[in-house]
Amino acid sequence: MCGIVSYVGEKQARPILVGGLKQLEYRGYDSAGIAVQNGPKISCQRSVGKIIELEKKISSLDMDGTMGIAHTRWATHGEASEHNAHPHTDQEQRVFIVHNGIIENYAFLKKKLQKEGCRFYSETDTEVLAHLVGIQFDGDLAEAVRKTMSQVEGTFGIAVIHRDVPGEIVVARRGSPLVIGLSDEGHFAASDVSAMVRYTNQVIHLQDNELATLRKDDFLISTARAEPIQRSIETVEWHAEDAELNGFPHFMLKEIYEQPETVMNAMRGRLELGEGVPKLGGITPVWEELKKCRHLVIVACGTSYYAGSVGRYVFEKLTDIDVEVEVASEFRYRKLNFPPNTFIIALSQSGETADTLAAIREAKRKGARLLGIVNVVGSSISRETEAGIYNHAGPEIGVASTKIFTSQLTILILLALLLGRHQNLSLTEGAETIRALQKLPEQIRKILSQANHIEAIAEKYHTCRNWLFLGRKFNYPIAMEGALKLKEVSYIHAEGYAAGEMKHGPIALITPEMPTVAILPKDDMYEKMISNIQEIKSRRGPVIAITTEGNKEIGEVADEVIEIPPTLDFLNPILAVVPCQLLAYYCANLLNRDIDKPRNLAKSVTVE
Ligand code: AGP
């Protein structure tokens, strides 16, 4: 978790660093800090809380300087306090360092350093890095960082400055993301391009065990053995405005409203109506083997896992492939047998989720082939998989994932359709699916036009402390995703259940104070869902039904009705999730929650 940003150039560093931190705040937001260097002088400030607290604290201070480093924290070692906030420093206060990741052998290193006379001021793992760099510095900062890297185990993205080396920042990574930004006005390094996209779209993704020395006019990338590396420069696709609210009160709402566009982007240039087949250029390198695949395992976490769970039903409908979906953090504990040509699909918005990365590394060890469906270009998962498909959905800033979920569903459907068309799926079925996919953006717009109606429902039920979400088949994962969204942003307790499971336990909870969101489009599960609703109504539980438009009889059993346009059964989840997102958003808003940065969460979960 955590976000780091650094800059060296001709502009004042403070506003660049604070602006960068604001863009990275989604990565963690319990404390923050900044160090600005001006010749041999380094001014360092830290504060508890969001970036705005740091900004207030430093607003009247003299922090002139054209280089510096900054950090926003999601606590792992030690509570969120000023003394645990980064930058951390060595004994002599000559080295200043910001770190994203976890130093696994820090306890051992700390004891050793304490025996050598180092005094520690924080409970963090990061502080050992500062001491190690300080002790090993003999005029060459990159070399001191290199020596430090060889002693630590774990993950890091770091930026380091030293009083004796004005004009130079050394950055390094192992396991945590780090991007270098190049511009005529200086050089940047950050956990994510969003921190620098206002100044440059020319970036280089640093790879594991690499370092870079950044100066105003030049930069040098090298290996841990000090061998220089040439790396090509990439152009970032998105712009600073993509990471702005543009009139919306919250990123979550903005991103919900972006879905007609992001679902379209997931399909753009990928649909071939005449052939009834999608084109997915990103999987070309593995296509020959993928065509023969009979066993697929989808690994993911959180919302991405629920997208994968819908994906399983879709693959089973459109292909003859056996599909498993695994929560990435549990994947390593399973004794899975991979028949030849087993493919793993890692689904991840950030491409940096530690559990998902660990799962694909384990799968690779066991001989599986790796595909990624990832939003962040150049992220670790995109680099560690053999081939993959990008969402092209632009940055998702709200911690609660919304637009990426529908984008992931769209891509999974395209992939299933592609494989299905090379198996038994007919041209007619292929073309029918493509036609239905093309209608989705407009259909999502239609759902969004009911926002006031959904807000009114939220108004009525947002004080209920417990909610239930029910669905079957394609929409069972939507029930789980709907419950997750509500929990994350409103802190209301919610459970997502397979509707058929309700009678095996959760029905005991039903009271007039516990609303149930029932997801029942007019498909082959509809009648069974109606029976479940009747069971709830007999116990006086309020029901909010999400159903296909034109369904007249639903009003007789449900208290509230939200309509979604008609589509193919396996496309319903893309539509049905939108009202769930809006319900969660409006409940959270009415409860005055911190919607884009809910308590205890972080956007990019880079710890296991
Ligand atoms: C979604 O709303 C969550 N905040 C979270 O569950 C997220 O989906 C999960 O951490 C996985 O992230 P990823 O897609 O970046 O791998």
Side-chain angles (χ1 to χ4, degrees):
M1 335 277 255
C2 303
I4 66 172
V5 56
S6 56
Y7 168 76
V8 52
E10 53 193 40
K11 291 173 173 259
Q12 282 298 312
R14 173 171 44 181
I16 293 178
L17 296 175
V18 172
L21 282 186
K22 285 185 181 165
Q23 298 302 327
L24 294 178
E25 208 171 15
Y26 71 87
R27 303 179 67 87
Y29 34 83
D30 57 38
S31 50
I34 182 170
V36 174
Q37 185 163 6
N38 192 353
K41 182 180 163 220
I42 297 181
S43 324
C44 181
Q45 292 294 330
R46 307 173 187 93
S47 72
V48 177
K50 304 225 166 88
I51 312 301
I52 185 84
E53 302 305 326
L54 178 70
E55 197 176 18
K56 279 191 225 152
K57 185 171 179 182
I58 63 176
S59 64
S60 56
L61 302 179
D62 167 22
M63 280 195 120
D64 273 359
T66 56
M67 62 172 284
I69 57 177
H71 185 271
T72 181
R73 180 167 186 250
W74 186 86
T76 57
H77 295 66
E79 59 169 355
S81 63
E82 217 168 288
H83 69 277
N84 284 330
H86 300 214
H88 288 287
T89 181
D90 67 327
Q91 192 78 23
E92 313 291 325
Q93 308 228 341
R94 305 189 82 73
V95 174
F96 288 77
I97 183 166
V98 288
H99 166 221
N100 167 30
I102 289 184
I103 303 304
E104 284 162 7
N105 59 341
Y106 90 98
F108 164 79
L109 292 169
K110 186 168 175 175
K111 260 194 206 136
K112 194 164 161 270
L113 288 161
Q114 279 169 328
K115 274 191 201 145
E116 289 167 18
C118 292
R119 283 180 51 205
F120 279 75
Y121 297 92
S122 75
E123 288 113 52
T124 65
D125 51 336
T126 303
E127 201 179 340
V128 299
L129 295 173
H131 287 289
L132 286 171
V133 174
I135 287 170
Q136 296 171 124
F137 176 78
D138 62 2
D140 183 342
L141 186 55
E143 197 45 38
V145 171
R146 247 180 228 115
K147 285 182 184 156
T148 301
M149 286 169 74
S150 69
Q151 290 157 282
V152 299
E153 287 162 20
T155 57
F156 53 83
I158 51 174
V160 192
I161 54 176
H162 196 292
R163 280 186 200 278
D164 299 350
V165 199
E168 190 171 297
I169 301 174
V170 174
V171 297
R173 73 159 273 178
R174 183 187 297 154
S176 302
L178 203 57
V179 191
I180 296 171
L182 315 172
S183 88
D184 296 340
E185 294 170 325
H187 293 121
F188 304 77
S191 306
D192 177 338
V193 288
S194 60
M196 59 183 79
V197 77
R198 185 175 304 283
Y199 305 97
T200 181
N201 63 354
Q202 301 295 293
V203 303
I204 295 176
H205 291 273
L206 210 61
Q207 302 203 355
D208 276 349
N209 296 312
E210 292 181 353
L211 296 84
T213 303
L214 311 179
R215 297 185 200 91
K216 178 162 116 15
D217 299 313
D218 61 49
F219 67 96
L220 175 74
I221 303 178
S222 57
T223 64
R225 287 206 213 103
E227 298 140 340
I229 297 175
Q230 293 300 325
R231 176 83 20 87
S232 52
I233 300 170
E234 294 166 47
T235 302
V236 177
E237 280 176 2
W238 50 276
H239 310 284
E241 311 81 69
D242 294 341
E244 279 164 13
L245 282 166
N246 294 335
F248 282 91
H250 298 99
F251 282 106
M252 181 179 177
L253 192 63
K254 177 185 176 226
E255 288 155 6
I256 291 172
Y257 271 81
E258 278 173 4
Q259 290 176 110
E261 187 67 16
T262 48
V263 164
M264 190 62 233
N265 285 349
M267 302 188 281
R268 208 178 291 282
R270 291 173 170 165
L271 299 181
E272 187 71 66
L273 185 61
E275 299 289 320
V277 186
K279 291 183 288 183
L280 297 169
I283 56 167
T284 315
V286 296
W287 177 238
E288 286 311 314
E289 297 81 40
L290 187 59
K291 256 195 316 200
K292 293 177 232 146
C293 166
R294 288 293 171 273
H295 189 71
L296 197 63
V297 186
I298 303 175
V299 291
C301 303
T303 289
S304 295
Y305 169 74
Y306 296 137
S309 307
V310 176
R312 177 177 57 187
Y313 287 103
V314 177
F315 271 91
E316 283 173 0
K317 177 162 179 124
L318 302 184
T319 74
D320 300 330
I321 301 172
D322 290 334
V323 186
E324 292 179 68
V325 195
E326 272 291 330
V327 169
S329 56
E330 287 294 312
F331 180 81
R332 279 175 296 171
Y333 314 129
R334 296 281 316 280
K335 201 171 168 195
L336 292 168
N337 275 325
F338 296 147
N341 262 329
T342 294
F343 271 82
I344 306 290
I345 300 182
L347 260 188
S348 174
Q349 186 287 128
S350 60
E352 300 294 346
T353 303
D355 290 322
T356 311
L357 270 165
I360 60 172
R361 287 172 186 156
E362 179 63 15
K364 189 175 179 185
R365 233 169 267 136
K366 296 197 166 134
R369 311 292 307 266
L370 304 180
L371 285 182
I373 298 178
V374 171
N375 187 42
V376 178
V377 176
S379 56
S380 301
I381 293 176
S382 74
R383 282 182 288 103
E384 292 198 26
T385 44
E386 296 170 66
I389 306 162
Y390 280 122
N391 295 91
H392 297 305
E396 191 180 61
I397 313 274
V399 164
S401 184
T402 51
K403 65 175 179 177
I404 297 305
F405 181 75
T406 45
S407 171
Q408 287 170 333
L409 292 183
T410 308
I411 290 174
L412 285 166
I413 291 163
L414 294 184
L415 186 59
L417 178 62
L418 175 64
L419 290 165
R421 284 286 289 122
H422 282 83
Q423 297 176 344
N424 295 325
L425 216 61
S426 68
L427 170 60
T428 318
E429 289 165 308
E432 183 192 21
T433 304
I434 288 181
R435 269 194 294 272
L437 281 165
Q438 283 168 328
K439 286 189 194 153
L440 287 174
E442 209 34 62
Q443 293 179 321
I444 296 173
R445 261 183 214 113
K446 207 162 171 199
I447 298 169
L448 294 172
S449 71
Q450 295 177 66
N452 290 343
H453 170 55
I454 296 172
E455 188 174 12
I457 297 175
E459 179 85 54
K460 216 159 148 186
Y461 298 98
H462 71 279
T463 52
C464 299
R465 297 310 304 146
N466 299 289
W467 290 45
L468 189 61
F469 285 71
L470 298 179
R472 283 176 183 257
K473 200 171 167 181
F474 301 112
N475 296 300
Y476 161 38
I478 300 306
M480 293 193 286
E481 171 59 7
L484 179 69
K485 277 295 83 84
L486 189 67
K487 277 186 270 213
E488 279 188 297
V489 295
S490 72
Y491 316 150
I492 294 172
H493 171 240
E495 306 241 14
Y497 257 90
E501 273 290 290
M502 187 187 60
K503 56 189 176 291
H504 299 290
I507 197 164
L509 296 169
I510 302 293
T511 66
E513 284 75 48
M514 181 160 178
T516 295
V517 178
I519 302 151
L520 71 165
K522 280 268 193 173
D523 60 11
D524 57 347
M525 295 294 110
Y526 181 75
E527 296 304 333
K528 284 200 162 38
M529 284 296 299
I530 287 287
S531 308
N532 298 134
I533 290 185
Q534 299 285 16
E535 289 154 13
I536 294 165
K537 289 313 301 172
S538 327
R539 286 150 186 95
R540 297 194 296 125
V543 172
I544 302 163
I546 299 175
T547 190
T548 309
E549 65 191 24
N551 179 352
K552 297 279 177 261
E553 76 258 15
I554 192 78
E556 290 161 27
V557 280
D559 301 82
E560 320 290 340
V561 179
I562 304 171
E563 292 191 332
I564 58 172
T567 185
L568 299 175
D569 57 358
F570 58 95
L571 300 188
N572 273 320
I574 296 180
L575 301 179
V577 76
V578 179
C580 297
Q581 297 168 341
L582 285 170
L583 267 177
Y585 172 80
Y586 287 121
C587 285
N589 204 29
L590 288 157
L591 292 166
N592 244 330
R593 304 301 192 215
D594 193 351
I595 295 181
D596 287 333
K597 299 185 191 79
R599 69 182 176 209
N600 305 336
L601 296 178
K603 183 75 183 159
S604 188
V605 186
T606 53
V607 292
E608 285 180 37

